[in-house]
Amino acid sequence: FTNTSGESSGFVTQTVAAHTHFSAFVSDPPFSLPLGTTGTINFTSSIPVAPAAFRTLTNERSDFILSNTPIADLTQETVQPVTIPHFADGDGWQTSIILVNTSEDTMHGEIRFFTPGSPSEPGQPLSIRLGDSDLAPVTEYEIPPRSFARFNTFGTATITNEETGETTNLPMQYGTIQVVPAGGTKTPQAHAVLTWTVANIKVMQTPITAQLPRKDLRLYV
């Protein structure tokens, strides 16, 4: 386990027999992480395994919501920018951007937001509020080795009238996100978690994994 400062602890070993399935909550043995812990779990295997991870949430009306959590492949490294194809903020939508450092070196770079654009006009830089920060189209990140960085959109975009001080809610903003590494550093594994809230109740969460843009793609429909 590696915390937000890049400090590692909690080294454990788990044996998985041939053709068997092992699963556990990270708060249960063998992980036994204290509730409320935030960080990354790094694991290696003596032979290839097929892993999956899930994020769980008990919402305000005690519904149990389950969503997939992407797992970073440490053998797949790049220094190219990656794209999160969709994010949404406002009108009940909120987006969390999670960046995972897959290396043994500190990662630096920028998160850039863009409007969806149109067939006749490319997307333009889009100012988004992350947490309590001011509206901005670009946010810098720094991630310790093996650790992570997380950025949450405000959930409700507003503008303030400088003369009267009155604030006005903006409609939902959406578009794409680029994760751009600084020169000489590698690109973190990146994904976004979209949360939809209705009447103050979280009803859905879904992850969207960042991708290297490609020409040849196939989609099951």
Side-chain angles (χ1 to χ4, degrees):
F1 172 76
T2 303
N3 63 18
T4 54
S5 300
E7 300 169 340
S8 295
S9 61
F11 297 90
V12 298
T13 299
Q14 174 67 36
T15 299
V16 183
H19 302 294
T20 62
H21 165 272
F22 162 78
S23 65
F25 288 103
V26 295
S27 56
D28 294 339
F31 311 107
S32 302
L33 296 179
L35 293 177
T37 298
T38 303
T40 64
I41 290 178
N42 302 269
F43 60 96
T44 60
S45 176
S46 56
I47 62 174
V49 293
F54 299 94
R55 173 184 175 88
T56 63
L57 169 71
T58 301
N59 71 4
E60 293 77 4
R61 62 186 180 195
S62 299
D63 296 329
F64 186 74
I65 299 175
L66 186 73
S67 60
N68 175 57
T69 294
I71 298 177
D73 183 350
L74 303 186
T75 66
Q76 301 296 318
E77 294 183 339
T78 182
V79 295
Q80 301 299 316
V82 294
T83 298
I84 298 175
H86 181 75
F87 80 93
D89 184 62
D91 196 22
W93 289 95
Q94 185 266 337
T95 299
S96 296
I97 302 107
I98 295 94
L99 309 178
V100 176
N101 188 335
T102 56
S103 75
E104 298 297 316
D105 301 306
T106 299
M107 288 182 172
H108 305 269
E110 294 180 342
I111 302 171
R112 302 175 183 176
F113 296 88
F114 292 90
T115 63
S118 68
S120 59
E121 182 179 350
Q124 302 298 314
L126 175 63
S127 292
I128 292 293
R129 176 175 293 170
L130 296 177
D132 296 328
S133 64
D134 295 331
L135 288 166
V138 176
T139 297
E140 295 184 352
Y141 65 81
E142 179 176 314
I143 318 171
R146 301 177 305 280
S147 191
F148 80 102
R150 177 172 179 154
F151 303 88
N152 299 319
T153 66
F154 193 71
T156 302
T158 62
I159 56 174
T160 302
N161 187 309
E162 295 182 356
E163 295 182 357
T164 64
E166 295 181 349
T167 59
T168 304
N169 289 339
L170 297 174
M172 180 181 70
Q173 300 186 85
Y174 64 98
T176 61
I177 301 171
Q178 282 190 347
V179 179
V180 183
T185 68
K186 296 175 182 177
T187 308
Q189 189 271 356
H191 69 276
V193 178
L194 272 65
T195 302
W196 187 33
T197 301
V198 178
N200 296 319
I201 297 174
K202 298 179 182 67
V203 297
M204 186 195 73
Q205 283 192 331
T206 188
I208 300 177
T209 304
Q211 303 176 35
L212 280 169
R214 291 161 287 178
K215 291 184 176 181
D216 299 307
L217 302 158
R218 182 170 296 159
L219 170 69
Y220 168 77
V221 296

